[in-house]
């Protein structure tokens, strides 16, 4: 029997107090995610239970019990406090999927500081705009990435300390740098946990929009109420599970469901910090007897492409539940996973802003391949008519996916950008920015985004950020960035570029420009193709009409461009 038992029963009279009670929380109490995910689990008698099984490059393996996680997060918290980090200060985690990333996250929260995880493949410019926005006080990083921090350090007077977790003494430390090894220092048995309350800020995750700089999505400690219960009912985690969330904690799935969800339930999880290959992933599942696997469509499509033979070479019989998030999960991938793993990947939908799963397929509920499922109990979801912002009355109409505000993990604002935050609400609904239709059985079917943001392999890329970075290249006069279709990543970045006088369009220049973006922003944001153009389609007021270029890439009707001109 699954944890949720019956979806139909759970949606009746649902109340988040179910989660509060299970977590032993009452309104007004202290609620600290760091404590909940380690100290509380130890208090419940699971101190010696494995919390994290970690594998890195070269097959190195490390294991941490809940007591280790408790002590080491205490140690990190205490170290940060000694450095002068106080509650409310932003501390960035700029790390590969090291154990320090998972445990450091809790350490930051334990002292009431705000964790700001950033994807370690970000280049210096992506890093800089996000640190600048948060005025980050300390950065926890590693040798491999510290050069990117050094490059921009002069422009960041607010950064007081750079903590290097794998310093080997070979090269001297520079200004503001300090070494810290979680596994070597004396563990701190007792740490004074910051008495955070429900609305105390916990995490800042950055997400990209169509216009403007990335937005810092502000979450609070109370978010654990949603994350705990969605993990329990959607991912169906149980006492003896070995759980694997393939997401990187540089992004929200990796924190909500790669740290907070499983550890608030006291579940053992594994993490693999190596690149992707079908063989190594299956080997990992086989070796650790993974039971619950939470991944993403691009990975599933890549596994599908690797073929069925490699699946058969491994014993994957431990798997009992599979879930997916981040981008549209095509029906074909659902059917394939059922064929080769004996169970389908069950899709769910949410966003950095929602903080927790909003729409999902549940264990025991009929899966309609290609559908995202139904709203989580307690979540009021609909699709709104884009003209009136009223819910469509009949089923099957395409509208804006929207939610009634008030679930525990909902973003509280965008950091330093309340104005944009306010634009996310219309007629009392939170507007997600995605489009879907609801069928007569209440299942949601994803249609597409309602903006120009590119979702490449489950990662959002802002065309604005890429266009701005392109302008910094000496050869580029103007550019327009859109998504182009891709079999595996669904969408990849494509740039239309108008060159400055004196520059010749050539494949060499294309490579140079691509590399320029990869280093500045990230491999995800790097255009996979650059098309040289003499001019770009523009509105009368001079704004570039990305939609025309987008439609061409996708072989869609361009429609009446005179209306587009006013729209843009
Ligand atoms: O466009 C939707 C897409 O990913 C966006 C959220 O991305 P992010 O904030 O980075 O969070 C990702 C992890 C939750 C959404 O606005 N998306 C997410 N899940 C799905 C999806 N698109 C289609 N199907 C999904 N299941």
């Amino acid at each position: 029997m699954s944890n949720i038992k019956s979806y139909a029963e759970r949606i009746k009279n649902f109340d988040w107090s179910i989660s509060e009670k299970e977590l032993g929380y009452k309104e007004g109490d202290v609620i600290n995610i760091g404590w909940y995910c380690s100290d509380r689990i130890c208090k419940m008698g699971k101190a010696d239970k494995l919390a994290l099984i970690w594998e890195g490059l070269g097959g190195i393996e490390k294991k941490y019990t809940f007591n280790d996680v408790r002590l080491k997060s205490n140690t990190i918290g205490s170290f940060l406090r000694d450095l002068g980090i106080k509650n409310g200060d932003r501390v960035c985690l700029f790390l590969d999927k090291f154990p320090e990333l998972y445990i450091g996250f809790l350490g930051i929260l334990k002292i009431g500081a705000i964790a700001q995880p950033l994807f370690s493949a970000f280049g210096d410019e992506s890093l800089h705009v996000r640190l600048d926005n948060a005025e980050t006080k300390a950065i926890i990083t590693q040798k491999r990435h510290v050069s990117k921090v050094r490059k921009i350090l002069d422009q960041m007077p607010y950064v007081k300390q750079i903590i290097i977790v794998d310093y080997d003494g070979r090269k001297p430390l520079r200004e503001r740098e300090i070494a810290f090894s979680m596994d070597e220092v004396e563990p701190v048995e007792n740490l004074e946990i910051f008495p955070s309350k429900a609305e105390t800020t916990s995490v800042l995750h950055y997400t990209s929009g169509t216009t403007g700089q990335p937005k810092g999505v502000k979450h609070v400690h109370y978010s654990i109420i949603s994350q705990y219960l969605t993990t329990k009912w959607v991912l169906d985690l149980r006492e003896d599970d070995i759980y694997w969330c393939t997401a990187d904690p540089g992004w929200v799935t990796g924190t909500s469901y790669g740290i907070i969800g499983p550890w608030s339930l006291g579940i053992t999880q594994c993490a693999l910090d190596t690149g992707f290959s079908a063989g190594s992933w299956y080997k990992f599942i086989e070796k650790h007897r993974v039971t619950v696997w939470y991944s993403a469509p691009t990975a599933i499509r890549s596994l599908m492409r690797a073929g069925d033979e490699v699946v058969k070479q491994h014993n994957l019989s431990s798997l009992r539940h599979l879930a997916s998030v981040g981008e549209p999960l095509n029906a074909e991938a659902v059917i394939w996973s059922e064929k080769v793993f004996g169970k389908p990947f069950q899709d769910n939908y949410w966003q950095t802003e929602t903080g927790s799963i909003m729409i999902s397929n549940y264990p025991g509920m009929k899966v309609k391949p290609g559908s995202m499922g139904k709203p989580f109990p307690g979540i009021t979801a609909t699709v709104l008519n884009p003209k009136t912002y009223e819910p469509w009355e009949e089923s099957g109409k395409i509208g804006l996916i929207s939610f009634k505000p008030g679930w525990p993990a909902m973003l509280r604002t965008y950091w330093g950008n309340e104005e944009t935050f306010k634009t996310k609400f219309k007629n009392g609904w939170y507007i997600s920015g995605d489009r879907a239709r609801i069928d007569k059985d209440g299942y949601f079917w994803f249609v597409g985004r309602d903006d120009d943001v590119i979702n490449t392999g489950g990662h959002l890329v802002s065309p604005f950020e890429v266009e701005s970075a392109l302008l910094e290249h000496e050869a580029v006069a103007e550019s327009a960035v859109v998504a182009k279709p891709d079999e595996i990543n669904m969408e990849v970045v494509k740039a239309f570029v108008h060159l400055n006088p004196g520059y010749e369009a050539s494949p060499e220049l294309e490579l140079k420009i691509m590399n320029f973006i990869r280093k500045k922003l990230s491999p995800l944001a790097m255009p996979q193709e650059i098309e040289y153009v003499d001019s770009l389609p523009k509105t009368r007021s001079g704004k570039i009409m990305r939609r025309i270029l987008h439609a061409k890439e996708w072989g869609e009707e361009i429609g009446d461009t005179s209306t587009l001109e006013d729209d843009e």
Side-chain angles (χ1 to χ4, degrees):
M1 182 59 113
S2 63
N3 286 337
I4 190 165
K5 294 192 181 91
S6 154
Y7 176 75
E9 285 304 310
R10 293 292 195 189
I11 52 174
K12 288 185 205 154
N13 307 317
F14 175 87
D15 200 294
W16 288 106
S17 63
I18 298 174
S19 183
E20 294 183 346
K21 268 195 209 122
E22 289 189 18
L23 286 168
Y25 168 82
K26 285 189 309 308
E27 197 180 336
D29 283 355
V30 166
I31 177 168
N32 187 301
I33 292 175
W35 180 85
Y36 264 102
C37 292
S38 56
D39 298 62
R40 178 170 180 268
I41 305 300
C42 293
K43 277 194 184 352
M44 290 166 79
K46 296 198 232 177
D48 296 330
K49 181 176 176 179
L50 275 182
L52 180 66
I53 305 168
W54 176 88
E55 235 184 81
L57 284 172
I60 313 171
E61 196 177 289
K62 293 184 184 176
K63 290 183 174 171
Y64 301 88
T65 62
F66 277 101
N67 196 43
D68 294 332
V69 171
R70 179 184 72 82
L71 287 174
K72 287 175 196 288
S73 55
N74 278 355
T75 312
I76 294 174
S78 154
F79 178 76
L80 290 171
R81 216 175 239 163
D82 290 348
L83 290 178
I85 306 296
K86 292 193 216 43
N87 58 294
D89 288 341
R90 275 76 62 203
V91 179
C92 168
L93 289 152
F94 189 50
L95 291 165
D96 292 342
K97 281 192 230 160
F98 279 12
E100 284 84 350
L101 173 52
Y102 297 76
I103 299 171
F105 179 82
L106 301 186
I108 295 168
L109 299 183
K110 279 186 169 179
I111 61 163
I114 301 170
Q116 182 194 15
L118 291 177
F119 184 43
S120 63
F122 274 152
D124 52 286
E125 187 154 320
S126 291
L127 184 63
H128 187 204
V129 292
R130 289 160 178 81
L131 295 173
D132 223 26
N133 178 261
E135 299 203 316
T136 309
K137 197 154 178 192
I139 304 168
I140 304 181
T141 189
Q142 66 195 79
K143 281 183 310 199
R144 191 167 157 227
H145 299 304
V146 76
S147 61
K148 294 188 266 188
V149 180
R150 285 175 181 166
K151 210 165 159 189
I152 49 175
L153 192 61
D154 280 353
Q155 302 160 59
M156 304 192 297
Y158 40 83
V159 173
K160 302 292 177 219
Q161 216 82 56
I162 299 147
I163 298 135
I164 303 175
V165 299
D166 58 352
Y167 181 64
D168 55 15
R170 284 207 200 138
K171 289 188 187 151
L173 291 168
R174 302 228 194 136
E175 186 199 346
R176 293 180 249 177
E177 290 173 3
I178 183 163
F180 172 77
S181 167
M182 172 180 90
D183 293 328
E184 280 165 28
V185 297
E186 188 67 29
V188 173
E189 180 62 42
N190 295 305
L191 177 80
E192 198 187 312
I193 308 271
F194 181 77
S196 42
K197 290 293 182 79
E199 293 303 307
T200 306
T201 309
S202 53
V203 184
L204 269 189
H205 266 299
Y206 279 75
T207 189
S208 297
T210 309
T211 54
Q213 295 295 359
K215 296 162 286 181
V217 177
K218 181 176 128 166
H219 288 293
V220 296
H221 282 265
Y222 190 62
S223 70
I224 194 175
I225 301 295
S226 296
Q227 289 144 352
Y228 167 87
L229 202 64
T230 47
T231 304
K232 186 166 175 184
W233 287 0
V234 175
L235 301 177
D236 199 39
L237 293 188
R238 305 178 204 162
E239 193 52 45
D240 294 331
D241 273 319
I242 305 287
Y243 167 64
W244 184 27
C245 169
T246 61
D248 187 313
W251 306 102
V252 73
T253 309
T255 55
S256 289
Y257 296 102
I259 302 178
I260 306 172
W263 282 353
S264 63
L265 280 144
I267 302 295
T268 305
Q269 65 161 332
C270 344
L272 179 62
D273 185 25
T274 61
F276 173 85
S277 89
S280 62
W281 274 34
Y282 294 143
K283 205 168 131 201
F284 188 71
I285 294 171
E286 181 172 19
K287 179 172 172 197
H288 301 292
R289 309 291 302 146
V290 172
T291 55
V292 179
W293 184 18
Y294 192 23
S295 197
T298 288
I300 301 163
R301 285 189 291 269
S302 305
L303 294 171
M304 204 160 116
R305 177 178 272 190
D308 300 3
E309 255 333 285
V310 57
V311 181
K312 289 184 197 138
Q313 288 159 13
H314 297 86
N315 177 357
L316 307 179
S317 59
S318 55
L319 290 172
R320 74 166 179 85
H321 183 45
L322 321 178
S324 163
V325 71
E327 24 159 0
L329 179 65
N330 32 326
E332 203 192 349
V334 177
I335 295 163
W336 174 79
S337 64
E338 180 140 37
K339 184 181 88 183
V340 299
F341 305 124
K343 44 219 40 105
F345 266 100
Q346 303 204 10
D347 194 17
N348 56 68
Y349 166 95
W350 55 292
Q351 308 178 295
T352 307
E353 283 88 343
T354 69
S356 62
I357 294 167
M358 302 300 277
I359 297 171
S360 178
N361 289 281
Y362 305 88
M365 190 171 101
K366 180 182 165 209
V367 174
K368 293 193 187 186
S371 158
M372 306 191 293
K374 296 187 180 189
F376 189 79
I379 299 292
T380 310
T382 191
V383 296
L384 300 179
N385 175 335
K387 292 217 166 80
T388 61
Y389 292 106
E390 294 292 341
W392 282 116
E393 273 166 26
E394 54 285 50
S395 60
K397 289 277 204 184
I398 294 175
L400 306 171
I401 305 178
S402 305
F403 303 103
K404 272 271 171 273
W407 66 97
M410 187 179 105
L411 84 161
R412 296 308 196 257
T413 190
Y414 291 121
W415 191 259
N417 196 351
E418 182 74 12
E419 232 169 84
T420 306
F421 172 67
K422 284 192 189 137
T423 66
K424 300 289 290 187
F425 299 88
K426 296 257 161 44
N427 268 355
W429 293 93
Y430 163 78
I431 315 283
S432 69
D434 289 310
R435 288 175 295 129
R437 57 188 175 77
I438 308 174
D439 70 16
K440 56 180 185 356
D441 301 324
Y443 282 71
F444 282 63
W445 298 76
F446 189 80
V447 173
R449 286 192 63 95
D450 196 43
D451 58 19
D452 292 338
V453 170
I454 301 164
N455 187 337
T456 179
H459 299 294
L460 304 187
V461 171
S462 151
F464 170 80
E465 255 190 299
V466 183
E467 288 163 6
S468 309
L470 280 167
L471 275 184
E472 290 176 42
H473 192 282
E474 54 192 11
V476 178
E478 286 192 303
S479 73
V481 167
V482 298
K484 105 173 190 176
D486 182 82
E487 225 176 89
I488 296 287
N489 291 289
M490 211 76 160
E491 296 184 344
V492 289
V493 176
K494 171 166 180 178
F496 291 86
V497 166
H498 175 56
L499 294 176
N500 272 320
Y503 288 90
E504 279 289 313
S506 70
E508 293 74 36
L509 181 60
E510 184 180 359
L511 272 184
K512 271 192 196 157
I513 298 175
M514 285 176 172
N515 238 333
F516 179 78
I517 299 299
R518 185 179 59 81
K519 279 204 177 142
K520 248 186 191 317
L521 299 183
S522 76
L524 302 171
M526 183 184 84
Q528 300 292 315
E529 186 191 339
I530 291 177
E531 187 174 325
Y532 299 110
V533 290
D534 293 332
S535 65
L536 292 164
K538 288 189 190 142
T539 61
R540 270 187 291 268
S541 59
K543 276 194 192 160
I544 292 165
M545 288 192 282
R546 290 194 197 104
R547 266 186 273 173
I548 292 191
L549 299 167
H550 186 275
K552 272 197 206 147
E553 286 305 309
W554 293 77
E556 290 161 1
E557 286 286 310
I558 294 171
D560 181 0
T561 55
S562 61
T563 57
L564 272 180
E565 289 199 5
D566 299 333
D567 254 28
E568 280 284 311

